[in-house]
């Protein structure tokens, strides 16, 4: 086959596009970057040409829409001979947030797939329209290239009905497609597999609790490589305490805020998604800042941290019970990979469950996957950096490679 082995990964938000160009022969990153504030006067592009080892380039200028953004990205890539018109580009992989029940795997995009992603907009009103815009823009630019959708929800479609259904009237739930879909699936898939590898075992032989703790946060219970439960639900609002989202609350809080607090649905939406979680509890959503304040004796920061940890511990216990046997707990994403005090506090006191963190190993800062459990502990505790872009590129390339073979 030719040397066409490059995959462009696009993560399109409503006013931003994140991208990475990878060479799948060795999974190396050739370039990465970000366009922000699309549609504003002060749009910003930051491009890092990794293959040439060059300096990052950054500029601010109006970028009207996603089409202009992708053309600007292509122009930056072209400066290093990597433009989107290059014959070496094999496929474009798109992160798509919501794939509903139907998309259980990465999927080559055609008109029917586009229609289905569009049909799911009511359950993902913020994300799917932006993802669709990114796909359509990329299709217009390279109509000849296969484009693949990799869904945040796909990894969780293996959840049994007992975990996926809310205990509400079945007809009402089904009429509105209300069920627990879960998110961050690409990360949970990647990290659970990488954890098995770290233990020197096949994914089929390992039960893992994955704790994806970024600004958004979710936990999953993975039995033998298949997700059996996850903490996010119909939307990414359910579950753990997050940077700005509440995670679990009594649903009656919403009724109370409307009836007694006089708040509108839009106001409650903003409160729970943007003004809750760590930022609502203490005014900061960055764990570094919260730890700094705790070190200075700040009580609100301490309480926010304690609530965050309490919820995390509850999920570890719950998923331990769901799995029955746990081989490893894996911490990932911004907080999970970097915040040693969070990892320490989350498993503190769980020795009876075979969980214990080694303080020295936990304090080491490193880039790769590593074990931080105490010698002799029954359950491995691991730090496993996530790589959603690599996972999207890998899945895209595997799918397109397969298609090429069947055509030949
Ligand atoms: P997302 O992709 O959800 O935006 P990330 O996975 O990049 O988020 O995580 C971002 C969060 O990680 C920050 O808000 C911050 O709380 C946390 N974080 C990043 N670096 C550190 C660090 N060195 N120590 C503690 N927390 C960190």
């Amino acid at each position: 086959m030719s040397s066409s082995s490059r995959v462009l990964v696009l993560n399109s938000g409503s006013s931003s596009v994140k991208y990475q160009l990878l060479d799948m022969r060795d999974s190396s990153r050739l370039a990465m970057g970000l366009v922000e504030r699309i549609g504003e006067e002060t749009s910003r592009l930051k491009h890092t040409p990794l293959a040439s080892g060059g300096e990052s380039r950054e500029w601010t200028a109006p970028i009207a829409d996603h089409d202009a953004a992708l053309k600007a990205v292509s122009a930056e890539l072209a400066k290093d001979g990597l433009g989107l018109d290059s014959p070496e580009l094999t496929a474009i992989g798109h992160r798509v947030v919501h794939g509903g029940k139907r998309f259980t795997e990465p999927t080559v995009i055609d008109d029917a797939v586009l229609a289905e992603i569009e049909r799911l907009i009511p359950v993902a009103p913020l994300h799917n329209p932006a993802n669709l815009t990114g796909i359509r823009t990329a299709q217009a630019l390279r109509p000849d290239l296969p484009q693949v959708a990799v869904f945040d929800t796909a990894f969780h479609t293996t959840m049994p009905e007992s975990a996926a259904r809310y205990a509400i009237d079945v007809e009402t739930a089904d009429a509105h497609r209300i069920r627990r879909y879960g998110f961050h699936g690409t990360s949970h898939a990647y990290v659970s597999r990488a954890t098995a590898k770290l233990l020197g075992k096949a994914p089929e032989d390992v039960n893992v609790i994955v704790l994806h703790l970024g600004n958004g946060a979710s936990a999953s219970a993975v039995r033998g490589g298949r997700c059996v439960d996850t903490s996010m639900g119909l939307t990414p609002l359910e579950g753990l305490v997050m940077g700005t989202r509440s995670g679990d609350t009594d649903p009656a809080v919403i009724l109370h805020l409307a009836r007694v607090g006089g708040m509108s649905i839009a106001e409650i939406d903003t409160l729970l998604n943007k003004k809750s979680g760590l930022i609502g509890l203490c005014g900061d959503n960055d764990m570094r800042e919260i730890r700094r304040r705790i070190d200075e004796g700040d009580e609100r920061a301490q309480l926010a941290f304690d609530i965050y940890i309490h919820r995390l511990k509850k999920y570890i216990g719950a998923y331990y019970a769901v799995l029955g046997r746990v081989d490893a707990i894996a911490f990932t994403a911004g907080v999970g990979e970097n915040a040693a005090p969070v990892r320490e506090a989350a498993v503190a006191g769980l020795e009876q469950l075979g969980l214990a963190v080694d303080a020295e190993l936990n304090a080491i800062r490193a880039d790769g996957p590593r074990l931080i459990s105490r010698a002799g502990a029954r359950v491995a505790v691991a730090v496993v950096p996530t790589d959603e872009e690599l996972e999207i590129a890998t899945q895209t390339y595997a799918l397109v490679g397969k298609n090429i073979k069947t055509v030949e």
Side-chain angles (χ1 to χ4, degrees):
M1 247 195 61
S2 78
S3 63
S4 63
S5 54
R6 290 184 197 151
V7 173
L8 178 71
V9 175
L10 289 180
N11 181 352
S12 309
S14 55
S15 65
S16 70
V17 178
K18 289 190 200 133
Y19 62 94
Q20 280 193 15
L21 183 67
L22 294 98
D23 185 337
M24 296 317 291
R25 282 174 301 189
D26 57 359
S27 301
S28 62
R29 252 168 269 262
L30 303 173
M32 62 189 288
L34 162 75
V35 188
E36 287 178 304
R37 299 197 287 271
I38 295 171
E40 293 179 32
E41 286 301 304
T42 57
S43 315
R44 187 176 80 103
L45 187 147
K46 183 174 181 188
H47 177 84
T48 308
L50 299 160
S52 60
E55 295 268 298
S56 292
R57 300 190 283 273
E58 205 174 321
W59 48 262
T60 302
I63 296 177
D65 51 25
H66 282 72
D67 184 50
L70 212 53
K71 284 184 178 144
V73 169
S74 187
E76 289 298 333
L77 286 166
K79 289 179 189 168
D80 294 298
L82 301 169
L84 293 195
D85 51 358
S86 156
E88 280 161 58
L89 189 59
T90 318
I92 301 181
H94 296 267
R95 174 186 183 216
V96 179
V97 167
H98 217 306
K101 265 173 86 171
R102 184 174 136 199
F103 293 116
T104 59
E105 293 194 341
T107 306
V108 175
I109 299 166
D110 59 17
D111 287 348
V113 171
L114 280 175
E116 181 65 17
I117 296 172
E118 193 154 11
R119 217 172 62 88
L120 288 163
I121 287 177
V123 283
L126 297 179
H127 293 105
N128 275 26
N131 300 155
L132 277 170
T133 305
I135 294 169
R136 291 198 171 108
T137 310
Q139 281 182 326
L141 222 57
R142 282 297 304 266
D144 56 314
L145 269 193
Q147 316 247 346
V148 173
V150 179
F151 300 93
D152 263 23
T153 46
F155 184 61
H156 305 304
T157 54
T158 52
M159 279 198 287
E161 281 298 283
S162 53
R165 272 205 182 268
Y166 292 106
I168 61 176
D169 173 71
V170 171
E171 279 78 33
T172 308
D174 288 351
H176 299 286
R177 277 181 285 174
I178 293 172
R179 60 188 282 115
R180 308 191 57 256
Y181 295 100
F183 298 88
H184 290 146
T186 309
S187 176
H188 287 282
Y190 177 85
V191 170
S192 56
R193 261 194 285 110
T195 306
K197 195 171 166 201
L198 183 66
L199 300 183
K201 295 191 174 163
E204 299 76 46
D205 298 331
V206 177
N207 292 352
V208 190
I209 297 173
V210 178
L211 303 169
H212 176 112
L213 310 177
N215 208 6
S218 63
S220 69
V222 182
R223 175 181 291 132
R226 290 165 69 86
C227 177
V228 293
D229 203 354
T230 194
S231 61
M232 285 178 167
L234 173 73
T235 76
L237 183 54
E238 191 179 343
L240 299 172
V241 175
M242 312 185 208
T244 66
R245 296 185 204 128
S246 62
D248 296 336
T249 55
D250 181 343
V253 167
I254 296 163
L255 310 179
H256 186 84
L257 288 172
R259 286 191 193 124
V260 182
M263 289 174 74
S264 69
I265 294 293
E267 285 167 339
I268 298 171
D269 193 336
T270 304
L271 176 81
L272 296 178
N273 275 298
K274 305 238 167 85
K275 297 184 180 170
S276 296
L278 293 170
I279 207 159
L281 289 166
C282 75
D284 272 308
N285 63 336
D286 193 312
M287 193 51 82
R288 284 165 287 202
E289 187 57 21
I290 291 170
R291 290 303 312 172
R292 196 191 59 70
R293 284 172 55 187
I294 290 172
D295 288 343
E296 287 176 354
D298 186 317
E299 286 177 15
R300 267 185 77 190
Q302 181 69 59
L303 180 60
F305 184 81
D306 292 347
I307 295 169
Y308 184 94
I309 295 296
H310 180 74
R311 184 83 51 86
L312 199 51
K313 215 173 236 186
K314 279 195 349 189
Y315 270 92
I316 292 173
Y319 288 173
Y320 208 116
V322 165
L323 290 170
R325 186 201 87 219
V326 177
D327 299 298
I329 294 195
F331 287 91
T332 195
V335 176
E337 291 167 29
N338 295 298
V342 168
R343 299 191 295 254
E344 185 193 325
V347 297
L350 302 184
E351 291 83 1
Q352 290 287 333
L353 298 179
L355 282 159
V357 158
D358 180 293
E360 272 178 37
L361 292 178
N362 191 30
I364 295 171
R365 298 190 66 82
D367 289 335
R370 57 202 184 272
L371 290 173
I372 57 166
S373 25
R374 206 176 291 161
R378 217 164 2 98
V379 179
V381 182
V383 181
V384 180
T386 192
D387 195 336
E388 288 162 285
E389 289 77 16
L390 175 61
E391 179 70 13
I392 291 172
T394 305
Q395 294 193 10
T396 299
Y397 193 61
L399 189 60
V400 169
K402 237 189 281 167
N403 281 6
I404 289 170
K405 265 186 225 123
T406 53
V407 169
E408 275 170 357

